[in-house]
Amino acid sequence: MTPSPADAQLFEVAPPPTPVERLLHLADQYTQHNDALDLLLRATAQPAPDAHAPSAQRLAADTQSGIKAIQGERLYESVELTETVMRLKQLTFLASASADLSTGMARELTALAPEAAVSCAMTLASETRRRRWATAPAPDDRLNTVHRTALAEIACGHVVSSSSLGREFTRSREPKVLMSTLRSLETKGLAERTARSAPAAYIGGPPLDRVRLTSAGITALASVIDAPPARPSTAPGTTPRPLPAAAQAATRSR
């Protein structure tokens, strides 16, 4: 008996995340972990010595799962791919080791993990697209250069938001992610804010709102993360905004 189209839709399952998407999600997990450690370190009460251990152990396991997902792709070996796997193995070791350390020392070990995971995602996306061009994801045409840059900065854990006197604003590294850009990404369903989840900008200040990629935002960034940015039309005397540092490093390595 042939199922009707309506019955067939009941069994539709979203495709599993690609290895690149898994690494971008991993970067977000490390950012959340680091934020939680920062809040523990600034809490009035002294945190339990092993309060961070379960989270660190989960990160180590998830990073190891990311490595297995890459190896499951059976891509031809290359220097870039080998180094990507090596960096992820280093992250696994650092996350695992941090579980046995004090909160402060553990925070130092995973401090650069979000950027490292995003850099690995960029390299993996480039290698995958170069070897499997026919099956590479189609770039999301909703994203201009500013959007791409903002998504990459958010993925690296560089963007928070707050408000004062009724005015919302963002805090980020260079290149800056403006509030107007964040609102545009939120309207497209690509970014969201987690209230009071990031450390304060100054001692005694209120926690900030961490800006994170949604599942759709991760998928969108994965589709363009290795693609050269479209050159925006610039007025005479103006300069295009630079790519994030992680993106520049990935571009130089190719």
Side-chain angles (χ1 to χ4, degrees):
M1 180 178 177
T2 303
S4 67
D7 291 336
Q9 291 177 2
L10 295 176
F11 297 96
E12 289 183 359
V13 179
T18 65
V20 173
E21 291 170 349
R22 290 177 68 119
L23 292 184
L24 293 177
H25 177 64
L26 184 67
D28 176 61
Q29 290 176 281
Y30 274 109
T31 296
Q32 292 182 70
H33 175 78
N34 289 344
D35 282 343
L37 290 182
D38 284 331
L39 293 178
L40 278 176
L41 289 169
R42 299 190 185 192
T44 303
Q46 186 72 17
D50 60 347
H52 63 284
S55 176
Q57 291 163 351
R58 283 194 301 271
L59 281 173
D62 289 342
T63 307
Q64 185 63 40
S65 295
I67 294 172
K68 291 180 179 179
I70 295 173
Q71 293 171 335
E73 290 292 289
R74 298 186 180 277
L75 297 173
Y76 289 109
E77 290 294 333
S78 68
V79 173
E80 294 80 6
L81 189 61
T82 299
E83 290 180 348
T84 293
V85 172
M86 288 176 61
R87 293 185 71 185
L88 291 172
K89 287 181 178 180
Q90 291 169 352
L91 287 185
T92 302
F93 175 80
L94 292 173
S96 179
S98 72
D100 298 323
L101 301 177
S102 66
T103 304
M105 294 180 67
R107 177 65 177 85
E108 292 183 4
L109 287 191
T110 57
L112 304 180
E115 290 183 342
V118 172
S119 179
C120 287
M122 289 178 176
T123 302
L124 178 60
S126 176
E127 288 294 290
T128 302
R129 188 179 297 274
R130 184 165 64 89
R131 298 162 189 271
R132 299 178 179 177
W133 183 262
T135 59
D140 193 318
D141 58 9
R142 296 175 297 173
L143 305 177
N144 58 30
T145 302
V146 173
H147 291 148
R148 294 184 185 190
T149 299
L151 288 176
E153 288 295 309
I154 293 170
C156 288
H158 292 169
V159 187
V160 294
S161 70
S162 186
S163 61
S164 178
L165 302 176
R167 175 177 172 270
E168 292 185 315
F169 55 90
T170 58
R171 295 179 182 272
S172 60
R173 303 183 186 181
E174 291 291 344
K176 295 292 186 182
V177 176
L178 302 179
M179 177 55 71
S180 58
T181 303
L182 172 57
R183 288 174 178 152
S184 175
L185 294 176
E186 289 177 326
T187 299
K188 297 175 186 291
L190 304 180
E192 61 185 3
R193 290 176 251 183
T194 302
R196 302 176 63 83
S197 62
Y202 53 91
I203 297 177
L208 302 177
D209 301 341
R210 171 63 61 192
V211 180
R212 301 170 55 200
L213 298 183
T214 63
S215 296
I218 287 176
T219 299
L221 178 58
S223 74
V224 299
I225 194 169
D226 70 307
R231 292 185 177 276
S233 57
T234 54
T238 62
T239 304
R241 293 170 65 84
L243 285 171
Q248 293 180 19
T251 300
R252 288 195 296 268
S253 69
R254 295 200 290 273

